[in-house]
Amino acid sequence: MSIGPLVPCVFEKSSLSSSLKWLDNEQSGSVVYVSFGSRTAMGREQIRELAVGLVESECRFLWVVKDKKVDREEEEGLEIILGSELMEKVKEKGLVLKEWVDQEGILSHSSVGGFVSHCGWNSVTESALHGVPILAWPQHGDQRINAAVVEENGLGLWVKSWGWGDGQVLVKGEEIGEKIRELMNDEGLKVKAALVRDNAKKAIQVDGTSKNGFSKFINSCSKYEKN
């Protein structure tokens, strides 16, 4: 049975953050959001190539940087990770953060027109619900399967030659920038993502497939308890 996407409850939504305030001043659909989740870290060399790609894409961007897998190890500042020269170039083009953000709030913002993602399932379903096209860059676990779902359903692009989070493939900034431009300028992809969004919203309505699937699941659990 199909369940999802799951919409956050009111108490789960955070107050207006600095990232959302920054987005308020950007043009509709002009910003690419870049995040690889709270538990996925890239090597520093690849992070710097990603920074170069974002600058060369000529797109405005909101980038959440993470180079450590364990939160308490996040001690070094962005200038150390990126280097002061590259950091200055990045700051001219977008907002770079090294902290938790309200991802659902970001993806629902009208300024966001694309998402560079590791394709964790939460990220995929949130992006689908808001019709934001994804540039898939899976790193580990089920993310490669999720990236295939993104590609097959028209929600985004997947460059398989970029590897599988093993650090053996260093994707150069020029190529990253080119793919980000493609993501942000592909009108056909935007139409397909909007269709995914419409279907996702239907699924969570009162008589939608998600609601019905969840009800069936609860009923099956009740029957099991009685037995």
Side-chain angles (χ1 to χ4, degrees):
M1 61 188 71
S2 299
I3 299 174
L6 301 177
V7 181
C9 298
V10 174
F11 69 84
E12 293 179 292
K13 297 181 179 180
S14 65
S15 58
L16 194 62
S17 64
S18 60
S19 57
L20 296 182
K21 291 177 182 177
W22 181 84
L23 287 171
D24 288 340
N25 297 317
E26 301 300 317
Q27 295 180 1
S28 177
S30 65
V31 176
V32 58
Y33 170 53
V34 184
S35 175
F36 289 82
S38 59
R39 306 300 296 174
T40 300
M42 274 186 167
R44 191 156 296 185
E45 189 175 9
Q46 185 61 78
I47 286 175
R48 290 176 177 173
E49 289 295 336
L50 176 53
V52 171
L54 286 167
V55 172
E56 294 192 358
S57 73
E58 300 180 354
C59 297
R60 299 289 284 170
F61 56 84
L62 171 54
W63 180 20
V64 181
V65 176
K66 187 170 183 61
D67 76 330
K68 299 288 185 182
K69 289 186 178 181
V70 181
D71 294 338
R72 59 186 173 82
E73 293 180 356
E74 297 278 1
E75 298 173 351
E76 295 175 322
L78 286 167
E79 287 199 2
I80 294 177
I81 296 172
L82 298 178
S84 57
E85 183 178 347
L86 184 54
M87 183 64 193
E88 286 302 313
K89 291 181 180 179
V90 166
K91 287 196 299 185
E92 291 175 3
K93 298 291 185 178
L95 177 63
V96 190
L97 300 171
K98 197 166 178 277
E99 60 190 47
W100 183 91
V101 298
D102 176 8
Q103 178 164 287
E104 202 273 337
I106 290 170
L107 290 171
S108 66
H109 200 285
S110 61
S111 294
V112 176
F115 184 14
V116 180
S117 172
H118 64 312
C119 286
W121 191 240
N122 283 342
S123 294
V124 171
T125 56
E126 288 170 352
S127 194
L129 183 60
H130 298 294
V132 179
I134 293 175
L135 175 55
W137 197 346
Q139 301 293 306
H140 56 74
D142 64 343
Q143 294 163 12
R144 185 158 49 180
I145 297 172
N146 301 341
V149 171
V150 165
E151 184 181 53
E152 290 169 7
N153 287 276
L155 184 57
L157 311 171
W158 179 19
V159 188
K160 299 178 181 66
S161 62
W162 286 7
W164 176 229
D166 51 15
Q168 295 179 6
V169 178
L170 179 65
V171 186
K172 304 300 286 185
E174 184 178 85
E175 185 177 357
I176 296 170
E178 181 181 335
K179 280 299 174 182
I180 290 174
R181 283 195 299 274
E182 181 180 343
L183 174 77
M184 297 297 285
N185 296 320
D186 190 331
E187 295 300 325
L189 186 59
K190 292 177 184 178
V191 171
K192 291 177 182 177
L195 180 60
V196 172
R197 175 199 64 206
D198 293 343
N199 288 332
K201 289 186 181 297
K202 288 178 183 177
I204 60 176
Q205 291 176 356
V206 175
D207 294 323
T209 55
S210 180
K211 294 281 188 180
N212 291 337
F214 191 66
S215 295
K216 289 179 181 177
F217 172 72
I218 294 298
N219 290 334
S220 66
C221 290
S222 299
K223 291 178 181 177
Y224 178 78
E225 286 179 357
K226 291 177 182 178
N227 294 332

